[in-house]
Amino acid sequence: MTIAHTLGALSVMTGALLAAQSAQAQDNTFINPDWANSAWYIGAGVGQSRATIDEPRLRASLAANGETVTGFTKDQRDTGYKLFVGRQLNQYFAVEAGYFDLGKFDFKSSTSGNGVLNGQAGFRGVNLDLLGQLPLSQRLSLLGRVGMHYTKTNTEFSGNRLLGSTNTHASERKLNAKLGLGLEYKFSEALALRGEVERYRLNDAVGNRGDADLYSVSLVYKLGRPASATPAYQPAPEVAPVVAMPAPVIVAAPAPAPVSEKVSFASEALFDFDQSTLKPQGKAALDQLLGQLKGMDLEVIVTVGHTDAVGPDAYNQKLSQRRAEAVKAYLVAQGVETNRVYTEGKGETQPVADNTSAAGRAKNRRVTVEVVGTRKVPR
């Protein structure tokens, strides 16, 4: 396959993946982690491949045959591509199979007496890898892979200095190991972008062993995403927060006792996924809460952020703190004195439900607002 055809095929697949993503553009939350951690996926990648041509060995071979090398050029880079299909085993591991073409690498040499020796080697094959994924945040993951590849190598020589060999075309198939490292960024539960470097151990069909590296960018698309709106996963944002009203204050009391009122908001009602900027619906919910607190002499308001157990502990702690501070900033903007509002981030340390189920994780993603004050006595 030529480079033009390769890029054309990858462009078509990229367009299809982006079209699928745009169809889900309004669904910007990650609400199906159980599906995402067990889904099948497809992908395609393209990038630069690099191999090492053994110039000292070739020069020594020509010198051993009485030749004096007068010129030597080599091209050790080409465009490589890969197509793959995989299956997530869980949040941290996947199995992946694919087809790859690392391109062709060549050299040209000239010797005294108008001697010429040219060579070219090409590599393509199939692979099976175990892919490890370490979440750095809810969107970004570190990738590592180890696997095997079965590669066909074609090596061709031309010129009038063939070193006594009559085999101008050699072909070999070998099973070798491969390794890789990279990063993955999730645009959504279904679509992700990878940047990777992979090293392939290779034979060049004429007795040499070496390595070839592929530096690639890939798009990955998970298949069969469930419908996004399910009651267990997505609380209705338009539902007004309910604040329990205290019993009527008895006029005869010499001084009204301080009361505490607490309301819990689902994080999805206030924020977009992995964000700490209040949505318009979130501001409206907080406005309604403030309206219900009219007539109270505020002493203190405490906003506390919580997350589920998906993602690193340290990241969840910072996210919960940022969300609590965003709620405080809005309350202060609406007239609440800043020295009466305190924030706290609990991360994933205080779950109210089981984190092993999607419904439980949805309950754990929350922001609580506790108000302490005294109700004014009507006259």
Side-chain angles (χ1 to χ4, degrees):
M1 183 181 289
T2 65
I3 293 177
H5 289 163
T6 300
L7 294 177
L10 293 178
S11 297
V12 171
M13 175 168 277
T14 299
L17 296 181
L18 292 177
Q21 170 65 7
S22 64
Q24 301 173 359
Q26 300 303 317
D27 188 11
N28 55 6
T29 57
F30 286 25
I31 59 176
N32 296 307
D34 293 330
W35 163 79
N37 292 333
S38 60
W40 286 91
Y41 61 86
I42 58 174
V46 65
Q48 185 178 87
S49 54
R50 300 181 182 181
T52 301
I53 294 175
D54 193 353
E55 180 180 347
R57 180 176 180 273
L58 292 166
R59 284 179 174 271
S61 297
L62 289 167
N65 283 269
E67 304 289 343
T68 300
V69 178
T70 59
F72 196 100
T73 60
K74 53 188 176 181
D75 184 358
Q76 301 182 117
R77 300 183 181 185
D78 201 358
T79 298
Y81 72 92
K82 60 179 182 176
L83 306 172
F84 52 90
V85 60
R87 173 71 183 272
Q88 285 289 148
L89 302 179
N90 52 45
Q91 181 184 1
Y92 303 103
F93 292 100
V95 175
E96 194 170 289
Y99 171 82
F100 62 88
D101 188 332
L102 299 180
K104 296 181 179 180
F105 312 93
D106 55 57
F107 72 91
K108 297 180 180 180
S109 64
S110 58
T111 68
S112 55
N114 296 321
V116 175
L117 175 63
N118 302 326
Q120 184 181 78
F123 307 94
R124 63 179 61 180
V126 295
N127 65 280
L128 181 64
D129 299 341
L130 177 65
L131 184 68
Q133 299 160 301
L134 177 63
L136 302 178
S137 73
Q138 289 178 310
R139 291 186 184 270
L140 186 66
S141 297
L142 178 67
L143 303 181
R145 68 170 69 235
V146 59
M148 303 296 293
H149 65 97
Y150 186 68
T151 301
K152 179 182 179 181
T153 303
N154 289 317
T155 305
E156 299 179 355
F157 294 98
S158 62
N160 54 16
R161 295 292 188 270
L162 295 177
L163 306 178
S165 172
T166 58
N167 188 8
T168 60
H169 178 87
S171 178
E172 187 174 52
R173 292 176 173 84
K174 284 287 187 179
L175 183 67
N176 280 303
K178 67 185 293 281
L179 299 169
L181 286 174
L183 291 172
E184 179 179 272
Y185 182 82
K186 297 179 178 65
F187 297 112
S188 72
E189 284 181 333
L191 185 65
L193 179 71
R194 289 180 185 173
E196 291 185 275
V197 56
E198 296 167 87
R199 170 155 291 184
Y200 297 76
R201 188 66 171 165
L202 296 169
N203 296 73
D204 68 1
V206 291
N208 294 326
R209 284 177 61 83
D211 299 315
D213 297 328
L214 177 62
Y215 301 82
S216 65
V217 176
S218 306
L219 281 173
V220 184
Y221 184 69
K222 290 184 176 178
L223 304 172
R225 188 182 192 189
S228 59
T230 56
Y233 292 24
Q234 185 175 4
E238 67 273 10
V239 174
V242 177
V243 180
M245 301 302 292
V249 178
I250 298 175
V251 178
V259 295
S260 174
E261 299 181 0
K262 186 175 182 179
V263 62
S264 179
F265 298 92
S267 291
E268 288 84 350
L270 301 181
F271 306 97
D272 284 329
F273 174 77
D274 200 26
Q275 300 296 314
S276 57
T277 301
L278 280 167
K279 298 193 296 186
Q281 303 96 305
K283 294 178 181 179
L286 292 175
D287 287 340
Q288 190 164 359
L289 171 64
L290 290 172
Q292 294 180 355
L293 297 178
K294 287 182 179 179
M296 175 182 284
D297 290 328
L298 296 178
E299 295 182 9
V300 65
I301 297 178
V302 182
T303 67
V304 183
H306 303 267
T307 71
D308 60 23
V310 177
D313 297 353
Y315 181 85
N316 287 337
Q317 170 62 34
K318 293 178 181 178
L319 177 62
S320 66
Q321 182 66 41
R322 291 199 306 270
R323 288 180 166 178
E325 290 172 354
V327 172
K328 173 182 177 177
Y330 185 75
L331 296 178
V332 170
Q334 302 311 303
V336 180
E337 296 180 29
T338 185
N339 61 350
R340 296 191 181 276
V341 186
Y342 295 86
T343 62
E344 200 171 359
K346 294 293 186 180
E348 59 188 70
T349 61
Q350 293 185 354
V352 295
D354 191 349
N355 272 305
T356 61
S357 69
R361 287 190 293 270
K363 292 179 181 179
N364 291 331
R365 297 190 296 268
R366 68 197 192 279
V367 176
T368 61
V369 181
E370 184 172 4
V371 180
V372 179
T374 54
R375 291 283 181 188
K376 294 179 181 178
V377 179
R379 298 183 180 182

